Amino acid sequence: MDLDLAQVRAFVRAADELHFGRAAAALYLTQQALSKRVRRLEETVGAPLFVRGRGPVELTGAGVRFLPHARELLVLAATAARSVRGEPLPLKVDVWGPVHRPLSLLGELVSAHPELLLELSMRRSLGSALDAVARGDLDVAWGRPHDLGRPWPAGLRRRLVCLEPIAVGVLAGHPLAGATVLGAAELREYGLWIPFEDRPPELTGLLRAYAAALDVPITGTALNLGVEHTIADLRRHPRRVTPLGAWWQLPEDVVRIPLRPTPYLPWSVIWRADNPHPLLPRLLKLLPGPGTVRFDPDRGWLPEPDRADLPRTVVRAS
């Protein structure tokens, strides 16, 4: 049996994303081209690898069994190619998503330290990234290590690196668009809308806890295809108020308004304790330590589990 690595790569990416559109975009393919590669792979192995229908994308039993071997094939192929060229292996790092702080932080580090060779992925869920780190498919993951609905995997270490402030976005012309800051009273009148319901749990758990702490109604929509999809939904429903990153670049018709108290999305770096990759200690040394985290408990908000991750002496935000 001759396996085409391009087809295997398409399968693995689709299995990671569980969404053919996002997988195709990540591989710079059309969705039709990615689907064709997966179907040809299924013909080669002699079994369907995905359940196809109107529901969400899922792996079949054969797909679940094939996935770890497919990952290993890609790793072996990359290792073989780099050994011929005498190139070092990059650190495989999942940065969660394209607009959050881990990606920009790593970009700053690589610019200052070009010896850091990184291969990035975006799983948009710490749960799936944790499994990949535990298996050795990833060297490093980023995320909020709480509300995952599962025990912390043995052998994985984590360290708080930074806090990303959360604001809200409304369309220009919204009754709240002229506000300089929003508190519980204003949010109770309009409520919060989030572009997901229960996944990823680490993010929905934080936002729902914030809404509960302020006694603010919160609603969710099941499908989340990224920031552009969220903005498009906001334009279709101009009365909505939705949480957005305080540092994100937004289109001109979306007004960002700070919140008081300010909720924060904590970002921890996660790695396997026994990972021998020579670049891992270098990356961990270059990343900011917990002692640099700035948090003002009089103006900011974090759930209790995240507060426990803060250093005992917190540097107050100026």
Side-chain angles (χ1 to χ4, degrees):
M1 181 183 297
D2 294 325
L3 294 177
D4 185 311
L5 288 178
Q7 296 170 9
V8 174
R9 186 172 293 105
F11 162 72
V12 169
R13 192 70 196 209
D16 285 340
E17 298 285 353
L18 290 180
H19 189 283
F20 274 41
R22 288 199 297 266
L27 294 174
Y28 302 98
L29 297 172
T30 64
Q31 187 168 335
Q32 181 181 11
L34 182 131
S35 297
K36 185 178 295 185
R37 291 185 183 186
V38 171
R39 287 196 179 280
R40 286 176 177 171
L41 179 63
E42 290 174 325
E43 292 171 1
T44 300
V45 300
L49 301 173
F50 290 100
V51 178
R52 291 175 173 81
R54 295 183 178 179
V57 175
E58 296 180 6
L59 288 168
T60 63
V64 171
R65 294 190 296 273
F66 182 62
L67 182 57
H69 303 292
R71 294 187 194 278
E72 188 174 355
L73 282 172
L74 296 180
V75 171
L76 288 173
T79 302
R82 288 190 175 95
S83 68
V84 172
R85 297 192 296 264
E87 297 177 359
L89 288 174
L91 270 175
K92 293 171 289 184
V93 181
D94 188 86
V95 295
W96 207 95
V99 295
H100 295 288
R101 179 55 177 155
L103 179 59
S104 60
L105 176 57
L106 290 177
E108 294 164 9
L109 287 182
V110 169
S111 296
H113 305 276
E115 75 276 7
L116 283 177
L117 301 177
L118 305 181
E119 180 181 306
L120 303 183
S121 63
M122 300 179 188
R123 283 169 167 78
R124 301 174 188 263
S125 165
L126 181 56
S128 61
L130 283 180
D131 292 335
V133 174
R135 290 191 305 263
D137 297 334
L138 277 174
D139 297 304
V140 175
W142 288 81
R144 175 178 177 254
H146 301 294
D147 290 326
L148 296 174
R150 55 180 290 185
W152 188 256
L156 296 193
R157 293 182 179 174
R158 59 185 171 91
R159 190 182 89 201
L160 179 65
V161 173
C162 60
L163 302 177
E164 182 175 357
I166 299 172
V168 293
V170 298
L171 279 186
H174 190 284
L176 296 177
T180 56
V181 67
L182 296 180
E186 296 86 358
L187 293 177
R188 288 186 193 122
E189 180 179 357
Y190 289 91
L192 286 173
W193 169 76
I194 55 177
F196 30 63
E197 290 183 341
D198 56 1
R199 293 177 179 275
E202 65 269 25
L203 183 53
T204 58
L206 182 142
L207 293 174
R208 291 186 183 279
Y210 180 72
L214 272 61
D215 194 26
V216 169
I218 187 169
T219 57
T221 304
L223 187 62
N224 177 19
L225 299 180
V227 176
E228 292 183 0
H229 184 257
T230 299
I231 299 301
D233 264 357
L234 199 61
R235 289 170 178 149
R236 285 192 289 269
H237 303 276
R239 299 280 291 181
R240 283 177 173 172
V241 178
T242 186
L244 296 168
W247 297 332
W248 296 1
Q249 291 186 346
L250 299 174
E252 292 183 356
D253 61 336
V254 177
V255 178
R256 184 188 354 253
I257 311 171
L259 294 170
R260 290 291 183 270
T262 302
Y264 287 89
L265 176 56
W267 289 107
S268 290
V269 61
I270 296 102
W271 70 98
R272 202 170 72 183
D274 61 353
N275 187 335
H277 199 296
L279 287 178
L280 180 58
R282 176 67 171 157
L283 174 64
L284 296 175
K285 183 178 180 179
L286 290 171
L287 288 172
T292 65
V293 172
R294 295 180 176 272
F295 178 72
D296 186 344
D298 296 328
R299 296 165 62 86
W301 179 90
L302 283 171
E304 286 303 320
D306 299 282
R307 284 180 176 250
D309 291 337
L310 293 172
R312 292 184 180 180
T313 303
V314 177
V315 179
R316 286 181 176 267
S318 57

mmCIF file of all heavy atoms in Angstrom, residues 3 10 39 90 92 133 154 201 295 299 308 316:
data_model
loop_
_atom_site.group_PDB
_atom_site.id
_atom_site.type_symbol
_atom_site.label_atom_id
_atom_site.label_comp_id
_atom_site.label_asym_id
_atom_site.label_seq_id
_atom_site.Cartn_x
_atom_site.Cartn_y
_atom_site.Cartn_z
ATOM 1 N N LEU A 3 1.061 5.135 0.487
ATOM 2 C CA LEU A 3 0.315 6.248 1.063
ATOM 3 C C LEU A 3 0.902 7.568 0.588
ATOM 4 O O LEU A 3 2.119 7.777 0.656
ATOM 5 C CB LEU A 3 0.358 6.182 2.594
ATOM 6 C CG LEU A 3 -0.360 4.990 3.224
ATOM 7 C CD1 LEU A 3 -0.172 5.011 4.737
ATOM 8 C CD2 LEU A 3 -1.844 5.014 2.888
ATOM 9 N N ALA A 10 -3.639 16.026 4.829
ATOM 10 C CA ALA A 10 -5.002 16.566 4.759
ATOM 11 C C ALA A 10 -5.908 15.872 5.774
ATOM 12 O O ALA A 10 -6.721 16.524 6.447
ATOM 13 C CB ALA A 10 -5.556 16.403 3.348
ATOM 14 N N ARG A 39 -10.765 11.692 0.366
ATOM 15 C CA ARG A 39 -11.479 10.582 -0.283
ATOM 16 C C ARG A 39 -10.502 9.616 -0.966
ATOM 17 O O ARG A 39 -10.700 8.401 -0.928
ATOM 18 C CB ARG A 39 -12.488 11.126 -1.294
ATOM 19 C CG ARG A 39 -13.707 11.751 -0.641
ATOM 20 C CD ARG A 39 -14.844 11.931 -1.627
ATOM 21 N NE ARG A 39 -16.019 12.513 -1.011
ATOM 22 C CZ ARG A 39 -16.910 11.841 -0.292
ATOM 23 N NH1 ARG A 39 -16.755 10.542 -0.104
ATOM 24 N NH2 ARG A 39 -17.954 12.460 0.231
ATOM 25 N N PRO A 90 12.204 21.764 14.275
ATOM 26 C CA PRO A 90 11.598 22.896 14.974
ATOM 27 C C PRO A 90 10.773 22.423 16.165
ATOM 28 O O PRO A 90 10.359 21.260 16.241
ATOM 29 C CB PRO A 90 10.700 23.521 13.902
ATOM 30 C CG PRO A 90 10.317 22.364 13.033
ATOM 31 C CD PRO A 90 11.519 21.458 13.012
ATOM 32 N N LYS A 92 7.363 22.169 17.856
ATOM 33 C CA LYS A 92 5.970 22.184 17.392
ATOM 34 C C LYS A 92 5.120 22.825 18.483
ATOM 35 O O LYS A 92 4.991 22.273 19.581
ATOM 36 C CB LYS A 92 5.511 20.773 17.075
ATOM 37 C CG LYS A 92 6.213 20.159 15.872
ATOM 38 C CD LYS A 92 5.900 18.694 15.703
ATOM 39 C CE LYS A 92 6.563 17.851 16.784
ATOM 40 N NZ LYS A 92 6.367 16.408 16.596
ATOM 41 N N VAL A 133 0.258 17.088 23.200
ATOM 42 C CA VAL A 133 1.495 17.248 23.972
ATOM 43 C C VAL A 133 1.826 15.947 24.701
ATOM 44 O O VAL A 133 2.984 15.508 24.724
ATOM 45 C CB VAL A 133 1.365 18.414 24.971
ATOM 46 C CG1 VAL A 133 2.603 18.489 25.873
ATOM 47 C CG2 VAL A 133 1.201 19.738 24.233
ATOM 48 N N ALA A 154 -1.064 13.517 33.595
ATOM 49 C CA ALA A 154 0.189 13.276 34.307
ATOM 50 C C ALA A 154 1.372 13.579 33.390
ATOM 51 O O ALA A 154 1.334 13.297 32.194
ATOM 52 C CB ALA A 154 0.253 11.828 34.789
ATOM 53 N N PRO A 201 -14.336 24.719 26.270
ATOM 54 C CA PRO A 201 -14.835 24.898 27.639
ATOM 55 C C PRO A 201 -14.004 25.853 28.473
ATOM 56 O O PRO A 201 -14.534 26.529 29.356
ATOM 57 C CB PRO A 201 -14.802 23.475 28.215
ATOM 58 C CG PRO A 201 -13.778 22.746 27.386
ATOM 59 C CD PRO A 201 -13.897 23.331 26.010
ATOM 60 N N PHE A 295 -1.684 42.528 37.309
ATOM 61 C CA PHE A 295 -3.108 42.343 37.612
ATOM 62 C C PHE A 295 -3.468 43.210 38.802
ATOM 63 O O PHE A 295 -2.819 43.140 39.855
ATOM 64 C CB PHE A 295 -3.413 40.875 37.922
ATOM 65 C CG PHE A 295 -4.849 40.629 38.290
ATOM 66 C CD1 PHE A 295 -5.846 40.693 37.328
ATOM 67 C CD2 PHE A 295 -5.212 40.340 39.600
ATOM 68 C CE1 PHE A 295 -7.173 40.474 37.657
ATOM 69 C CE2 PHE A 295 -6.538 40.112 39.935
ATOM 70 C CZ PHE A 295 -7.520 40.175 38.967
ATOM 71 N N ARG A 299 -9.481 46.464 39.999
ATOM 72 C CA ARG A 299 -10.064 46.836 38.705
ATOM 73 C C ARG A 299 -10.252 45.638 37.771
ATOM 74 O O ARG A 299 -10.996 45.721 36.798
ATOM 75 C CB ARG A 299 -9.180 47.873 38.007
ATOM 76 C CG ARG A 299 -9.078 49.180 38.751
ATOM 77 C CD ARG A 299 -7.925 50.045 38.238
ATOM 78 N NE ARG A 299 -8.097 50.411 36.832
ATOM 79 C CZ ARG A 299 -8.798 51.459 36.421
ATOM 80 N NH1 ARG A 299 -9.414 52.235 37.297
ATOM 81 N NH2 ARG A 299 -8.885 51.741 35.138
ATOM 82 N N ALA A 308 -5.550 31.666 41.777
ATOM 83 C CA ALA A 308 -4.598 30.802 42.487
ATOM 84 C C ALA A 308 -3.315 30.606 41.695
ATOM 85 O O ALA A 308 -2.279 30.273 42.273
ATOM 86 C CB ALA A 308 -5.250 29.451 42.778
ATOM 87 N N ARG A 316 0.857 45.278 40.211
ATOM 88 C CA ARG A 316 -0.359 45.993 39.848
ATOM 89 C C ARG A 316 -0.205 46.685 38.494
ATOM 90 O O ARG A 316 0.843 47.243 38.204
ATOM 91 C CB ARG A 316 -0.730 47.032 40.905
ATOM 92 C CG ARG A 316 -1.308 46.419 42.178
ATOM 93 C CD ARG A 316 -1.666 47.516 43.159
ATOM 94 N NE ARG A 316 -2.316 46.945 44.342
ATOM 95 C CZ ARG A 316 -3.632 46.827 44.483
ATOM 96 N NH1 ARG A 316 -4.418 47.247 43.521
ATOM 97 N NH2 ARG A 316 -4.151 46.309 45.579
#
